Amino acid sequence: QVQLVESGGGLVQAGESLRLSCAASGSIDSIHGMGWYRQAPGKERELVASIKSGGNTNYADSVKGRFTISRNNAKDMVYLQMNSLKPEDTAVYYCNAWGVGVMTTFDDWGQGTQVTVSS
């Protein structure tokens, strides 16, 4: 099992920035990809951004040009730089990682971090 710990959430005003971090630890052989999802009250969890081990990234249309995902492969960490935040970005943000562990594969989630954007 892989443990994922997010940090960096908080309360900001519209137009401001936040940087989320997620650290992976545990029985990791290689991480194939990491990503950020979010879930707002009453809505389904949705992909925000993902990054594969080779550096390929994918973004939700709603965050393109505002959010940037990056990864430190040596430290098994992923980051989400969020600029020009909007009230509709308010949600719990979850870190996700998938790959190969010790004699198994994994696809695990963090506990989530709250991001609140006031208007």
Side-chain angles (χ1 to χ4, degrees):
Q1 186 178 4
V2 173
Q3 294 77 45
L4 300 169
V5 179
E6 303 105 332
S7 60
L11 171 64
V12 297
Q13 293 187 336
E16 294 183 340
S17 299
L18 277 175
R19 185 181 190 234
L20 304 183
S21 300
C22 173
S25 63
S27 301
I28 299 172
D29 181 55
S30 65
I31 297 179
H32 294 170
M34 301 184 79
W36 291 95
Y37 288 72
R38 67 187 180 187
Q39 187 166 19
K43 295 187 177 182
E44 293 186 353
R45 189 174 297 188
E46 63 175 1
L47 173 69
V48 177
S50 64
I51 183 167
K52 295 184 178 179
S53 57
N56 291 338
T57 58
N58 183 40
Y59 293 93
D61 288 342
S62 59
V63 307
K64 284 180 180 177
R66 299 188 299 122
F67 291 10
T68 302
I69 189 170
S70 60
R71 184 175 159 183
N72 185 324
N73 290 335
K75 295 184 177 180
D76 289 336
M77 293 193 69
V78 66
Y79 309 94
L80 185 67
Q81 178 66 42
M82 305 185 293
N83 298 329
S84 302
L85 282 161
K86 304 175 181 180
E88 50 264 43
D89 294 318
T90 295
V92 177
Y93 283 69
Y94 297 91
C95 178
N96 171 243
W98 67 96
V100 179
V102 178
M103 300 184 66
T104 187
T105 60
F106 64 86
D107 185 351
D108 288 318
W109 296 84
Q111 79 288 352
T113 185
Q114 178 70 47
V115 172
T116 303
V117 184
S118 63
S119 58

